[in-house]
Every structure is written in C-alpha cells, then in structure tokens.
Amino acid sequence: MDRIISPEERRKRQRTRYLKMAVGAAAGVAVFVLLVKLLSPKIDLNTVNVGTVDRGALEVSVYATGKVVPLAEEVITSPVSSKILEVYKKAGDRVRKDEPILQLDLETIRTEYETKKEALDMQWSKLDLQRSTIENTLAEMRMQIDIDRMMLERARVAAANERYLDSIGASTSEKVKQAELDYTIKKMQFEQLDRKYENQQRTSKSEIRSLELDYKIAKRNTDLLHKKLGEAQILAPRDATLIYINDQIGASVGEGTEVAILADLSSFKVEAEVADSYADKILSGNRVTVKIGREKLGGTVGNVTPSVKNGLIKFTVALDDRSHGKLRSGLKVDVYVTYSLKEDVARLNMGTFYAGKGEYDLWVVEGDEVRKRRVVLGENSFEYVEVVGGLKEGERVIVSDMNRNRDRERLKIR
C-alpha cells in the first residue's frame, strides 16, 4: 500500500529539484559564455604588422613604379639592305670588343661600291683634265696680254714721236691724230683683254670649285658605302652581353633594321614612371629610394622626359650602387622620390593600407583587444606616413591589410 509522504519530505524533494534546475541553468549559461568566447573573432598580433606612433623627421616622397635596366645598352642595326649569311653568337653570350656577331651578304653592296669607285675615278680624271685646260687657256691669255702691253707701249711711243716731229715741222697734224688714234685703239684692246682675263679667272675658279664639290660629294658617298661594306660583318662595339640577335639565316633585313642588342649586365639603372600630376615634384637631382623586397637602394633622379604619354611621365634613376647583387635586368621595383622634408611630426610606419592623404579606419591596440578608429593621415615617405589626427604618440596600430574584418568594430587579441 502507498505510504503517505510528509509535508517535510515533499519540501525537501522540491528543494532538490529546484537546486538541480539551478545548477543545470548555471552550467548552460557557463557553456554558452564559453562558446561565445571561443567562437568570438580574435586576432594574433604575431600574424600582422604592428606600427607605433612616434615623432621625427618625414622625408616627403612620391611613389612611382620602376624597372631595372642595363646602364649601357646598344642596339645594332643593319647598315645595308641585305640578308643574313652566318650567325656566330647566340643570345646570352658574352662578347668581346670587335668580335664578329653575324655576317651579312656583301655581294650587292660590293658591286655597288666598285661601280661608284670607278665613277669617282672618272670624275677625278675629268677634274684633272679641266684644270689643265683652264691653266693652258689662262697661260695663253696672259701671253697675249703681255704682247698687247708691248704693242700698246710702242703705239704710245709712236704717238709721242709724231707730236715731237709735228712740233719741229717734220710731220703733219693728220699723222699725229692717226698715231694717237692707234694708241687709243691699242689701249682699249689691252683693257678689254685684261678684263676678259680677270673674268676668265673667276669663271675658271667657279668651274673648278663646282667640279671639286661634285667630286667631294661623290667621294663622301663612296667612302660611306665603303664603311657600310666594312660594317656588313657585324662586330661587337664593346665588351658586353648579347641579349638579342636575329639568328634567322637567310632572312632579309632592311637598312636600319635591328639585328642585335648588347648590354652591360654589370651595371644598372632604373627607368620609372609616375602620374603627370606629380610632374612638378620629379626634378633632376632629387634623392630617390628604390625598394627591392626589403632591400633599399639610394639614387638620384636623372633625365626626366618632358612629354606626357597616357597620363604618365618617365624618368631615370642613377643608382648609388649600380652593381648591387639584387639588381637584375627587367626586375620590377618600387621607387620613392623625395621632394621635401618635414621636421618633428607624428608619424606611423607605412602600411599597405595607405593610398594618399585622407581619412582611414585603422585598428588600434587597446589593452586585450584592437578597436577600429577613424584616423586622418597626411604626407608620406617610403617608411612613414604623417599622422594628422586620431592617434597619440606611443599608440600601436595594425598597418597590415585588415579588409577581411571591415564589418567589425573590435577584435580580441589571442
């Protein structure tokens, strides 16, 4: 038969049941809190770059992209229209000065040279013959002038004699007039021949000068063809590395066509480009920092191209160490051109987030968590960016890319 439970026993059982329920609820809350803590987003500061706000000088700079190229590079072109007969070297080979690289077909140009040389010899013979002819003509004219001078002198003496004889009555006035007329005619003939001689001298000089000029032009063209004939065997102009060669034997090449490129791969420079809006800040002589990975190389701005192409201006960078071990032809590099200096400014380590002056949402370390904060940034160098507002000296800031957490406001530090 059922036993009657006393009120005291019922209260005791009820208290036990309530206690179990409370313990279960507390355990559930604890588990929930633990799960929230375990599942809430955290960040390990060892996996990101953290910068510290400090004060110091800021070398204000402009960022540009660059490419490492050989300091000395020479393009060799075909001196004539021809075809490739032989190739002695291949791309990548080291060549010595005056060492043959390739051979062009010389038959056509050699024939042309021989023809021009024969024509030049004919021009020289013509010039020499003309000189002799002119010298003979002038010599004959000079002799005739001498004869006419003597005849003029004889006519002058005859006229004087007739005047004397007329004065003593041994002649007549008609004879005097005839003698004076003869003298006048001889004088005019002499003067005419003398002027003709002078004109002939000037004409002869001009004629000879014209023939000499034609000969010099023809000789210059012949010498140029002879030079091309000598250059048809393509030789290395200096000790260098052959980085390109047209190795298609039998291929036709036109005059001025590129057949090989040589470069000195022991010394380098940087060719860079930047938006034309920064043109006033890219000046020859400005200091430059070139970053190759974590390596930093110094240099200066060299030539600046004045023209703008596709919104970009180009310039070269002369490196302080042109033979640094990290330099490789064609290597892409980051270039920072310094154009001014700011003293004693709040600054933060440069990070991948920076894209120019303005406001940024940066993650600031605060105790055991990082919080997003609106920060105003200004000018930059290749190492630091100026802090205009939102951060205090000594604060630590994540400078790595945090886009994956852009929808959050805070993160616990793991």
Side-chain angles (χ1 to χ4, degrees):
M1 57 182 295
D2 295 334
R3 184 173 64 87
I4 299 174
I5 300 174
S6 65
E8 182 66 28
E9 183 68 19
R10 285 200 299 273
R11 286 194 294 272
K12 184 177 179 181
R13 290 183 178 182
Q14 193 174 20
R15 284 196 298 272
T16 302
R17 187 167 60 253
Y18 289 157
L19 181 61
K20 289 180 178 179
M21 291 174 62
V23 170
V29 171
V31 170
F32 176 76
V33 171
L34 181 60
L35 287 174
V36 169
K37 287 185 176 182
L38 290 174
L39 297 177
S40 63
K42 291 183 173 62
I43 186 169
D44 185 352
L45 295 185
N46 292 324
T47 63
V48 294
N49 293 325
V50 180
T52 302
V53 180
D54 65 0
R55 299 194 71 83
L58 184 75
E59 294 181 339
V60 184
S61 59
V62 171
Y63 172 74
T65 57
K67 182 175 73 171
V68 177
V69 297
L71 181 65
E73 187 174 276
E74 185 166 351
V75 177
I76 301 177
T77 59
S78 173
V80 294
S81 295
S82 183
K83 65 180 181 180
I84 299 173
L85 287 184
E86 293 184 68
V87 178
Y88 305 122
K89 299 292 179 180
K90 61 181 182 297
D93 285 352
R94 286 282 299 169
V95 294
R96 299 282 185 183
K97 183 178 179 181
D98 296 330
E99 188 175 4
I101 297 176
L102 57 82
Q103 176 72 46
L104 299 177
D105 183 10
L106 307 180
E107 192 59 37
T108 301
I109 189 172
R110 186 179 288 113
T111 301
E112 184 181 356
Y113 170 71
E114 293 296 337
T115 301
K116 284 185 178 293
K117 193 170 183 302
E118 290 173 0
L120 184 65
D121 291 340
M122 290 178 64
Q123 276 188 280
W124 175 257
S125 297
K126 181 180 178 181
L127 174 59
D128 192 47
L129 178 61
Q130 191 64 20
R131 280 176 179 159
S132 299
T133 302
I134 288 173
E135 287 177 1
N136 291 335
T137 301
L138 292 176
E140 290 177 1
M141 291 183 72
R142 281 196 300 270
M143 185 176 293
Q144 187 62 48
I145 287 173
D146 291 340
I147 293 172
D148 284 7
R149 183 181 289 109
M150 289 185 290
M151 292 178 67
L152 177 63
E153 180 62 21
R154 188 176 68 175
R156 186 189 67 78
V157 171
N161 289 338
E162 287 298 331
R163 283 194 294 271
Y164 172 73
L165 292 173
D166 183 50
S167 65
I168 62 175
S171 182
T172 63
S173 59
E174 286 79 5
K175 290 183 178 181
V176 172
K177 288 180 180 179
Q178 183 63 45
E180 289 179 345
L181 181 60
D182 288 342
Y183 172 72
T184 302
I185 291 172
K186 291 285 190 292
K187 183 178 180 183
M188 292 176 66
Q189 288 176 340
F190 175 80
E191 290 174 351
Q192 182 183 31
L193 184 60
D194 192 50
R195 283 194 297 271
K196 186 178 179 180
Y197 175 74
E198 290 178 356
N199 291 336
Q200 184 65 41
Q201 278 187 311
R202 285 193 295 270
T203 302
S204 298
K205 285 182 179 178
S206 297
E207 188 177 350
I208 293 297
R209 193 158 47 241
S210 177
L211 291 172
E212 287 177 341
L213 183 59
D214 289 341
Y215 175 79
K216 286 179 180 178
I217 293 173
K219 187 175 187 306
R220 191 178 299 118
N221 291 333
T222 305
D223 291 343
L224 180 61
L225 198 59
H226 183 261
K227 181 182 178 184
K228 287 182 178 181
L229 186 61
E231 291 174 347
Q233 184 181 29
I234 306 297
L235 306 178
R238 67 180 72 194
D239 293 352
T241 300
L242 189 63
I243 61 177
Y244 164 77
I245 186 170
N246 185 342
D247 56 1
Q248 300 298 312
I249 294 177
S252 296
V253 291
E255 183 175 352
T257 302
E258 181 180 291
V259 293
I261 301 177
L262 294 174
D264 180 3
L265 298 184
S266 63
S267 300
F268 298 89
K269 63 182 178 181
V270 174
E271 291 181 348
E273 58 184 18
V274 68
D276 61 343
S277 56
Y278 296 108
D280 59 328
K281 297 177 174 60
I282 309 298
L283 303 175
S284 295
N286 281 5
R287 287 299 297 170
V288 177
T289 299
V290 176
K291 291 186 71 175
I292 305 176
R294 298 195 176 189
E295 196 78 31
K296 297 170 188 162
L297 304 181
T300 55
V301 175
N303 295 328
V304 181
T305 303
S307 58
V308 178
K309 186 176 181 180
N310 298 326
L312 299 172
I313 60 170
K314 296 185 177 182
F315 61 96
T316 59
V317 177
L319 298 170
D320 296 338
D321 185 357
R322 300 177 300 184
S323 304
H324 193 278
K326 292 282 187 179
L327 296 172
R328 295 289 183 275
S329 182
L331 182 67
K332 301 293 185 181
V333 293
D334 296 322
V335 178
Y336 296 87
V337 181
T338 300
Y339 64 89
S340 69
L341 178 68
K342 286 189 174 183
E343 299 281 0
D344 192 30
V345 296
R347 61 186 188 179
L348 176 65
N349 301 75
M350 174 60 75
T352 56
F353 61 87
Y354 185 75
K357 295 181 184 179
E359 295 185 342
Y360 293 83
D361 290 326
L362 299 184
W363 293 85
V364 184
V365 178
E366 297 182 2
D368 61 349
E369 64 181 11
V370 291
R371 293 192 179 189
K372 190 185 293 183
R373 188 188 302 176
R374 180 55 60 91
V375 175
V376 181
L377 301 178
E379 306 278 6
N380 72 288
S381 70
F382 65 93
E383 286 184 301
Y384 297 101
V385 58
E386 178 187 12
V387 177
V388 178
L391 292 172
K392 296 181 296 185
E393 188 175 346
E395 287 191 299
R396 301 172 67 208
V397 182
I398 295 176
V399 294
S400 298
D401 184 10
M402 292 289 286
N403 277 336
R404 65 182 181 278
N405 297 301
R406 59 180 175 272
D407 296 330
R408 304 183 185 278
E409 294 298 322
R410 64 176 65 187
L411 294 171
K412 286 287 185 181
I413 297 176
R414 184 179 302 160

